[in-house]
Amino acid sequence: MPGQVAAWLIEQVGWDGEGPLDLSSRLVLVPTRQSGRRLREALAVAAADRDQAVFAPKVLVPESLPAEVARRPAVASRDQILVAWIRVLLESHPSEYRAVFPVDPPRRDEAWARRLAGRLSRVQNELAAGGLRMVDVLSAPDMPETARWRELARLESRFDALLAEHGVCAQVVANQAGLDAVQPPAGIESVVVAGCPDPNPVAVRYLEALSPSVPIEVLVYGPCTTAGREAFDPWGRPIPERWVDRRLELANFETQVRLGADPAQLAKMVAERALAEPNPEEWLALAMVDPQITASLVGEFEDRGEKVFLPEGEPWRQGALFGLLQALAKLVESADCRSVGNLLRCPDVMLALEQSGEGGIGADTLLRHWDRVLENHLVQNLDEAITQADTFPRLQAALRVVEGWVSALQNEVFADVAVALPAAILGDQTVTSDGLLAEGARRWVEVVARLKEAVNLMPNLARSEQWQLALDGFAEGTRYGPRAPDA
């Protein structure tokens, strides 16, 4: 598909290989960022084959179109939205919104508000994909629970007012405002919608607003027949009524489709087929519709001595940096022995203590001494542990270092200590600039900076909640490791 789109674009500009391939005047919408990368790669390969350079088109996913073609109000960040919801929920009594809160929560604190803020934000995001706000749901025909939606709309109006006080707004509000001033980006002379079978309604509205001022062409992957063309609407979306009665004819179904009883059997079948021919890393890619199959496939290949690359990446939550940050966050509220023990079991913490000269006896011995103190004295918190660790002087010295960390966590400004303390713990390690740890560190610094700005909406937000919001933001998304050449 990217190769076909690249060939079509080259044909449209009539490039003959003389001089650079110039597509800089085109804006191309593609379904995913990965497909955009592959399109740029296909164009670069085509130009390189003629020993030429390429001036690539501007490539976007549909969700990014409004920000490129309209001057919109400033959009609130994820953290500003969550902090605004936390404040609105804490300042709104449940008795005023009984359709939303039929029963008072057991504890109406910041932790409760943060969890509910996340749920309300997700509802907003789902509605925003269709260009809707909570108040718009009330106008939908036969909408159930209108009383609840009416109260949610009231809460959202307070949320909007709070954001407006700080000069920002929700993205759906910005998108609605931007529709009044749509124009092509500077230098763009045409727009191509390439293989986007399900652009969100907001993007379609912006394309409709853009169409009078710039030519828009829609590329659809499908049969080149009249019936095939009639199966899609003008924006390349399949028309359901034209597809429900179609039969999918699969040639050689009995020989090409094989059934497995469970993920383990399927993984074995795939591995045997993949390794039946040499160099599978050069020709094989696997697509799984069920995440449960992925683990079985990875395990099967690794058992056979093969390396596996997962292009979808791994959650940041699984990384060592997240574990360290989570252990530090637990100490903000309470330096109990469980939280301290979790921190001591972080490899980076043990390495930092040993390098500071306060451990000195190795991680295993230090942890054994820690367990002895817990067993012999039934201590409850860090202060008691330091007192009772007098028979293990190196453990006691290490715990005093941790005591200094706890003091900083509980007393210093979140945005300062959240960056400075992990940096101090990791500071003596050798880190490659393109490694996962360096990428994670950059990501954490960005998350903390965004939250620092968001807290202006609620300056009295507790440190522990700031840490939790930052951790949640850091854990969102995926980290991508390097691909081994033979994976």
Side-chain angles (χ1 to χ4, degrees), residues 358-407:
E358 302 300 347
I361 55 175
D364 291 342
T365 304
L366 200 67
L367 288 174
R368 281 201 303 272
H369 290 176
W370 168 255
D371 291 338
R372 289 276 298 278
V373 170
L374 297 185
E375 293 170 3
N376 295 340
H377 302 285
L378 300 177
V379 295
Q380 300 296 314
N381 54 51
L382 178 60
D383 290 340
E384 295 177 6
I386 291 174
T387 301
Q388 299 298 334
D390 53 352
T391 55
F392 303 109
R394 290 182 177 175
L395 170 64
Q396 191 176 55
L399 292 179
R400 292 200 185 279
V401 173
V402 175
E403 183 182 37
W405 296 348
V406 171
S407 176

Side-chain angles (χ1 to χ4, degrees), residues 20 44 47 66 74 85 90-91 94 98 127-128 130 148 209 315 377-378 384-385 398 432 475:
W85 270 122
L90 290 175
E91 294 178 353
R98 278 303 178 210
L127 292 172
R148 176 174 293 186
H377 302 285
L378 300 177
E384 295 177 6
T432 58

Side-chain angles (χ1 to χ4, degrees), residues 96-118:
E96 302 172 8
Y97 301 90
R98 278 303 178 210
V100 177
F101 309 107
V103 185
D104 287 349
R107 291 186 62 184
R108 191 165 156 266
D109 55 12
E110 290 180 342
W112 163 80
R114 170 175 46 80
R115 291 190 294 270
L116 188 53

Side-chain angles (χ1 to χ4, degrees), residues 171-471:
Q171 182 161 295
V172 64
V173 176
N175 287 342
Q176 290 173 348
L179 278 170
D180 295 330
V182 175
Q183 61 182 11
I188 296 299
E189 299 175 1
S190 67
V191 175
V192 178
V193 182
C196 296
D198 189 26
N200 66 34
V202 175
V204 172
R205 291 178 196 170
Y206 271 80
L207 286 169
E208 290 171 342
L210 198 60
S211 58
S213 56
V214 65
I216 299 177
E217 296 185 84
V218 180
L219 306 183
V220 174
Y221 186 76
C224 296
T225 63
T226 300
R229 294 185 179 90
E230 292 176 349
F232 298 87
D233 74 5
W235 296 111
R237 297 172 295 189
I239 300 173
E241 299 77 29
R242 304 289 174 86
W243 292 86
V244 291
D245 294 328
R246 282 175 173 255
R247 290 181 58 84
L248 182 61
E249 300 293 343
L250 296 175
N252 304 319
F253 180 89
E254 297 298 332
T255 57
Q256 291 192 8
V257 177
R258 300 174 60 187
L259 304 178
D262 53 39
Q265 186 181 2
L266 285 174
K268 185 176 181 179
M269 293 163 57
V270 170
E272 289 175 350
R273 174 65 185 88
L275 302 178
E277 298 183 36
N279 305 320
E281 69 277 3
E282 297 180 1
W283 58 270
L284 176 66
L286 302 174
M288 284 76 73
V289 296
D290 185 348
Q292 291 184 355
I293 302 176
T294 305
S296 297
L297 276 171
V298 171
E300 185 68 31
F301 277 110
E302 290 180 344
D303 288 346
R304 295 167 183 256
E306 298 292 332
K307 299 177 183 177
V308 177
F309 174 70
L310 298 176
E312 70 272 22
E314 298 179 359
W316 280 104
R317 186 180 296 275
Q318 296 179 3
L321 180 57
F322 180 82
L324 171 62
L325 296 172
Q326 189 176 44
L328 292 173
K330 293 290 185 183
L331 295 169
V332 175
E333 199 164 354
S334 171
D336 58 64
C337 286
R338 174 178 292 183
S339 299
V340 173
N342 288 338
L343 181 73
L344 291 177
R345 287 176 173 81
C346 291
D348 293 319
V349 169
M350 276 300 179
L351 183 60
L353 291 173
E354 290 177 3
Q355 291 176 343
S356 71
E358 302 300 347
I361 55 175
D364 291 342
T365 304
L366 200 67
L367 288 174
R368 281 201 303 272
H369 290 176
W370 168 255
D371 291 338
R372 289 276 298 278
V373 170
L374 297 185
E375 293 170 3
N376 295 340
H377 302 285
L378 300 177
V379 295
Q380 300 296 314
N381 54 51
L382 178 60
D383 290 340
E384 295 177 6
I386 291 174
T387 301
Q388 299 298 334
D390 53 352
T391 55
F392 303 109
R394 290 182 177 175
L395 170 64
Q396 191 176 55
L399 292 179
R400 292 200 185 279
V401 173
V402 175
E403 183 182 37
W405 296 348
V406 171
S407 176
L409 288 167
Q410 295 183 351
N411 296 292
E412 295 183 14
V413 176
F414 161 77
D416 296 334
V417 71
V419 173
L421 183 52
I425 292 173
L426 300 169
D428 291 331
Q429 294 190 33
T430 301
V431 179
T432 58
S433 61
D434 59 348
L436 287 175
L437 181 56
E439 183 183 355
R442 287 190 290 267
R443 178 180 175 83
W444 176 246
V445 171
E446 293 169 0
V447 167
V448 171
R450 289 200 305 267
L451 186 59
K452 180 180 179 180
E453 181 181 6
V455 170
N456 291 330
L457 280 79
M458 189 177 176
N460 61 340
L461 186 65
R463 284 187 185 85
S464 59
E465 290 305 312
Q466 294 183 52
W467 269 95
Q468 195 56 56
L469 284 169
L471 279 174

